Amino acid sequence: MTSTFHGLEVAKRALFAQQAALYTTSHNIANANTDGYTRQRVNFDQVSTLSGSRSNALFESQIGSGVEAGSIERVRDKFLDLQYRGETSKLGYYGSLASSFQQMEEIMNEPSDTGLSKSMDKFWQALQDLSVNPEDSGARSVVVERGIAVAETFNYLSTSLSAVRTDLENEIDVTQKELNSILNQINNVNQQISEIEPHGYLPNDLYDERDRLIDQLSNIVNVKVSYDASGGQPNPMAGGLATIELVNESGDSFDPPVTLVDGPTKQVNEVTVNIDDTLGKRAVSSITVGTSTFTGADFTSTGKMQALVEAYGYQDAGTVKGEFPQMLDALDELAFNFANEFNAAHRGGFDLEGNPGTDFFTVNATQAGAATSLDVLTTIKNDEDLVAASSDGTSGDGQNALALGSKIQDPVASLGENTSVKSYYASVIGKMAVDSQEAIRMESNAGVLQQQVLERRQSVSAVSLDEEMTNMITFQHAYNAAARSLTAVDEMLDRIINNMGIVGR
């Protein structure tokens, strides 16, 4: 037979369950603006019907026993997490690459009135003016000054690009520390979760913290996340221990697989970017993750780290590759060939005194560092009469100045087939502009896709104040109804205990 006080117990359970739902709603509202918070909900479980041990009455055995708050779970879609982290990795890569190109474009500053192209055009124009008045000291001074301007522009571009490379090296170091810090934080959260889940609890706040860290991690490298159950007796909805694996741009595992955080063993394999100058120029020689080693070319895990390595430069097949090293090499090649071609032509002429011409520019004996070392010969800086404008040493002849002025259009074999100084530089700037435009376009696309996935994820996991207000009213009414039910049972018992069997007293 059902207990006389059964109604009180049912009403009490309803009060506790609705109260838990109200508290959870308040928790959601309180964290409506908390970064990384996932809204929670109470799963109500119907209490199994009590079987009257002393009664076989069918009706009484079917009377329900109320409700209880079974669990409080996060509302989250793992598929959207997977999509979001994939797009975040792409955005991290293209965003960092576009930023590097932006710095390069700001330094090259083409087309403009202060770029290298304009400086060289002014130099050629000064030579053509000198060919008309070869004995004019003013025209000679302009040629020398324009030559100095060209050399200084080469110097400025080279040193500025090298300075940005130094900044990129520092950024790689900072990113490496950030990456390893995130890995250790995830491992610590895993440790805390492993101590709670075996007792049947759901550490929802720790799950949120871990997901937030994994989101940050996916901006730096592309990762794949898997989960292993904790020991003990975990709740069926427990998230488990996260294992983080480094994957390539397609999301596939490397061969052999590279684990960053091992959930079951609680081990962390930190990432180290090794930089040295064994090839005569500082560059990334290797990237180690635990016992695995990657070359710069093999490190294809999409993210900010890969973009920084590609922009800064890495060793590959005995050479240094990368966006900035290639631009520096192009400037060195251009300066080296330009100076030698110009010097050869200048030596073929005669100065104002009729003496054979000398070199006009000083430059390194090798191509390496030519853009940084380029300068006008000191003797010519001090005496503009040494400019070899004449082709035969006769007075009034400016044919050699005219020949020097045409060097910008003459093909230079060492720069490529039918390639002049001007066309070579134009091709370098054109390639930079196309690569930069492509990086900006891909950054924009990745940003749009990430935002779309983020909005879809927020529609599932974020706190909606309207929805929470509705829930609060619903749970409040349910709580009031349970309280009224408790009062009704109380009045019923009062009637039985205090007002029955009093006739004749």
Side-chain angles (χ1 to χ4, degrees), residues 69 90 101 129 189 203 231 280 311 316 319 362 414 472:
K90 294 175 186 174
F101 274 119
D129 293 343
V189 174
D316 184 42
T319 61
T362 60
S414 53
M472 187 169 63

Side-chain angles (χ1 to χ4, degrees), residues 238-253:
L241 306 177
T243 293
I244 313 293
E245 181 185 345
L246 187 72
V247 294
N248 62 19
E249 72 275 16
S250 302
D252 299 326
S253 302

Side-chain angles (χ1 to χ4, degrees), residues 371-385:
T372 307
S373 65
L374 185 66
D375 198 2
V376 174
L377 214 64
T378 304
T379 53
I380 294 180
K381 286 182 182 178
N382 297 331
D383 185 1
E384 62 272 12
D385 290 347

Side-chain angles (χ1 to χ4, degrees), residues 337-338 341 407 409-421:
N337 287 284
F338 158 70
E341 289 289 324
K407 282 297 176 186
Q409 301 286 0
D410 294 343
V412 180
S414 53
L415 292 178
E417 186 175 357
N418 295 325
T419 303
S420 65
V421 170

Side-chain angles (χ1 to χ4, degrees), residues 231-486:
Q233 297 180 333
N235 188 299
M237 287 184 291
L241 306 177
T243 293
I244 313 293
E245 181 185 345
L246 187 72
V247 294
N248 62 19
E249 72 275 16
S250 302
D252 299 326
S253 302
F254 288 101
D255 186 18
V258 180
T259 301
L260 297 171
V261 178
D262 193 317
T265 64
K266 302 177 182 58
Q267 296 293 317
V268 174
N269 291 318
E270 294 191 347
V271 177
T272 303
V273 181
N274 303 299
I275 298 175
D276 60 46
D277 54 0
T278 54
L279 296 179
K281 183 181 294 182
R282 288 185 67 77
V284 175
S285 57
S286 64
I287 301 167
T288 57
V289 185
T291 58
S292 301
T293 302
F294 297 88
T295 65
D298 294 336
F299 189 77
T300 57
S301 183
T302 309
K304 180 180 179 181
M305 181 63 83
Q306 185 190 10
L308 289 174
V309 170
E310 289 182 359
Y312 175 73
Y314 55 91
Q315 299 175 5
D316 184 42
T319 61
V320 175
K321 296 182 178 178
E323 306 304 336
F324 276 81
Q326 288 175 353
M327 179 57 78
L328 284 166
D329 288 344
L331 282 177
D332 284 341
E333 184 178 12
L334 182 65
F336 182 77
N337 287 284
F338 158 70
N340 285 320
E341 289 289 324
F342 193 89
N343 285 342
H346 194 261
R347 288 194 301 269
F350 296 86
D351 62 20
L352 191 60
E353 301 297 329
N355 299 315
T358 62
D359 285 345
F360 186 88
F361 290 105
T362 60
V363 68
N364 282 356
T366 61
Q367 184 174 302
T372 307
S373 65
L374 185 66
D375 198 2
V376 174
L377 214 64
T378 304
T379 53
I380 294 180
K381 286 182 182 178
N382 297 331
D383 185 1
E384 62 272 12
D385 290 347
L386 296 180
V387 175
S390 172
S391 60
D392 55 10
T394 59
S395 177
D397 177 61
Q399 290 302 309
N400 199 50
L402 191 61
L404 289 170
S406 65
K407 282 297 176 186
I408 190 173
Q409 301 286 0
D410 294 343
V412 180
S414 53
L415 292 178
E417 186 175 357
N418 295 325
T419 303
S420 65
V421 170
K422 186 172 185 177
S423 63
Y424 180 85
Y425 184 64
S427 68
V428 170
I429 295 300
K431 180 179 182 304
M432 176 193 70
V434 171
D435 290 344
S436 175
Q437 188 178 35
E438 180 67 8
I440 293 172
R441 185 181 70 82
M442 293 302 295
E443 179 194 17
S444 176
N445 290 345
V448 170
L449 290 174
Q450 189 213 35
Q451 184 62 31
Q452 290 177 348
V453 176
L454 177 61
E455 290 175 358
R456 290 173 58 196
R457 190 167 78 163
Q458 287 181 330
S459 70
V460 174
S461 302
V463 175
S464 167
L465 292 177
D466 293 340
E467 183 179 349
E468 297 302 328
M469 283 291 292
T470 304
N471 289 338
M472 187 169 63
I473 293 171
T474 301
F475 298 139
Q476 184 181 15
H477 281 302
Y479 185 88
N480 292 340
R484 186 67 187 89
S485 173
L486 185 65

